[in-house]
Amino acid sequence: MDPVRTCVGCRARASRSSLLRVVARDGVLIADPGASLPGRGAWVHDTTECVDAALRRRAFGRALRMSGPLDTQDFQIDHQRKG
């Protein structure tokens, strides 16, 4: 049985294998497709709708418990190129 996580974009519960893990490195949001980087992670569906919703609601900063500003610009640009 695959572990279940909650998408920070749409708040739906889904299996870990169907979500993308993201982490913060030096205040910058980066994707962790292998789910192997150290530190706290947030999970999101790898869709434009869920990523945009999470960015709009500033859900990544809350899920990652960031006290300062979180740079999401590069993550957003990379995701838009991909999708």
Side-chain angles (χ1 to χ4, degrees):
M1 185 169 176
D2 202 19
V4 176
R5 302 287 186 259
T6 301
C7 172
V8 295
C10 66
R11 305 295 300 155
R13 292 172 54 88
S15 67
R16 178 181 151 161
S17 60
S18 66
L19 298 171
L20 173 67
R21 182 175 187 255
V22 295
V23 296
R25 287 276 156 231
D26 299 321
V28 178
L29 189 68
I30 59 170
D32 180 15
S36 61
L37 292 175
R40 185 168 188 85
W43 298 84
V44 66
H45 285 109
D46 197 11
T47 64
T48 303
E49 293 82 15
C50 284
V51 170
D52 287 347
L55 291 169
R56 187 173 52 251
R57 293 178 34 240
R58 297 186 180 140
F60 289 118
R62 284 192 304 277
L64 296 171
R65 298 184 182 171
M66 298 291 295
S67 58
L70 181 63
D71 182 6
T72 59
Q73 187 170 356
D74 290 339
F75 182 79
Q76 186 176 15
I77 291 169
D78 289 343
H79 197 271
Q80 287 174 346
R81 262 189 234 141
K82 181 184 151 196

